[in-house]
Amino acid sequence: MPPIAILVLNGLTAALTAAPQITELVVKAKDFFASLAGNGLITAEQQDQVDARIDQIVEAAKQGRLPASWDVEPDPE
Amino acid sequence: MIRKNRIFMKFAKRWLASVMLVVAFTLTAAGPVGCASRLEPGGAYALEGQAPDKAFYAVEASFDLATSVVHTAFEFERSNRLMLWRISPDIKHGLDKLRPVAKQVVKEYGVAREAYLANPTPAGLSTMKTVLGRLQQTASAAQAVLPKE
């Protein structure tokens, strides 16, 4: 794995303490960089996971079911 | 309260630095996936009896990551809304401008993806890349809105 990828992963891991919300992002980023810099093989499982996640989000967008954080909500008082 | 704010900002700065790196990688990722990696047969992008579609996978993986960056920024702001509102109302207002854009871009990507799956042509892939570029811009803009100091 190239040094820059290790640097990125270290930064992401450190940031775990800052915001639990980024856990999912870190996992995806790790998968992503592993597929870039590992043995060069993107496994069938990794492919299926990407495909399933994209299916899920485009379907949610189509049906107006994206997470609440994507909605514009009233300003706090 | 001041101490709490300082601690929060320290964490927020670390978080932002990490997201910035992810976004930077996302912006340049489509190429390296296509060139250096190979797809294991049997996966969604390397179906049996068909040539593996590395270019399609590269766009999809980049879109997946860009979506995560945008989602994380929105979630982060929503989960810490009161604290960030006290720092500056511009943070919420800035992200509020991006929220409908992100929704629209994801919808457009879905349409472009469906068209590509029905008829996988270079032009179709190019449309997907264009939409991906817009999501990546949205991700960068979301990151720019969040506090840095």
Side-chain angles (χ1 to χ4, degrees):
Chain A
M1 188 176 289
I4 183 68
I6 293 167
L7 189 71
V8 171
L9 293 183
N10 287 344
L12 290 170
T13 307
L16 271 174
T17 52
Q21 296 93 334
I22 71 163
T23 306
E24 198 187 343
L25 175 61
V26 173
V27 170
K28 281 184 194 173
K30 277 186 174 173
D31 283 352
F32 185 78
F33 293 127
S35 74
L36 282 181
N39 61 7
L41 181 71
I42 298 158
T43 65
E45 191 187 354
Q46 285 173 320
Q47 295 172 48
D48 291 347
Q49 284 171 353
V50 168
D51 182 51
R53 282 196 296 261
I54 294 182
D55 270 350
Q56 198 180 10
I57 194 156
V58 295
E59 196 54 34
K62 201 170 152 185
Q63 297 180 6
R65 288 187 295 102
L66 283 167
S69 62
W70 288 58
D71 293 330
V72 176
E73 294 175 319
D75 289 344
E77 291 301 316
Chain B
M1 177 57 83
I2 290 168
R3 185 175 154 71
K4 266 188 179 175
N5 272 341
R6 277 195 191 144
I7 292 168
F8 172 78
M9 289 315 299
K10 232 171 128 180
F11 286 158
K13 277 163 74 179
R14 261 203 241 168
W15 179 84
L16 282 168
S18 304
V19 170
M20 208 176 292
L21 284 169
V22 171
V23 172
F25 258 75
T26 308
L27 292 170
T28 54
V33 172
C35 298
S37 304
R38 61 198 166 86
L39 301 173
E40 182 183 27
Y45 303 89
L47 296 172
E48 302 291 348
Q50 292 178 23
D53 197 341
K54 282 196 292 186
F56 181 38
Y57 175 79
V59 173
E60 293 265 276
S62 297
F63 184 83
D64 183 34
L65 197 54
T67 311
S68 296
V69 171
V70 170
H71 175 68
T72 305
F74 291 164
E75 282 286 322
F76 183 76
E77 185 277 329
R78 190 172 191 258
S79 305
N80 299 283
R81 182 159 290 164
L82 280 178
M83 178 77 82
L84 292 170
W85 182 262
R86 285 185 199 122
I87 293 168
S88 170
D90 291 344
I91 296 168
K92 179 180 182 297
H93 292 160
L95 289 178
D96 280 352
K97 282 183 193 159
L98 298 174
R99 286 180 160 108
V101 176
K103 277 184 179 181
Q104 184 58 32
V105 172
V106 173
K107 269 189 207 170
E108 284 176 27
Y109 186 85
V111 173
R113 184 179 195 246
E114 220 166 278
Y116 182 78
L117 287 170
N119 183 23
T121 62
L125 194 65
S126 175
T127 305
M128 289 177 69
K129 282 181 183 172
T130 304
V131 182
L132 167 65
R134 286 176 52 211
L135 188 68
Q136 288 170 335
Q137 282 172 4
T138 308
S140 298
Q143 164 216 310
V145 165
L146 289 168
K148 288 159 196 68
E149 293 298 330

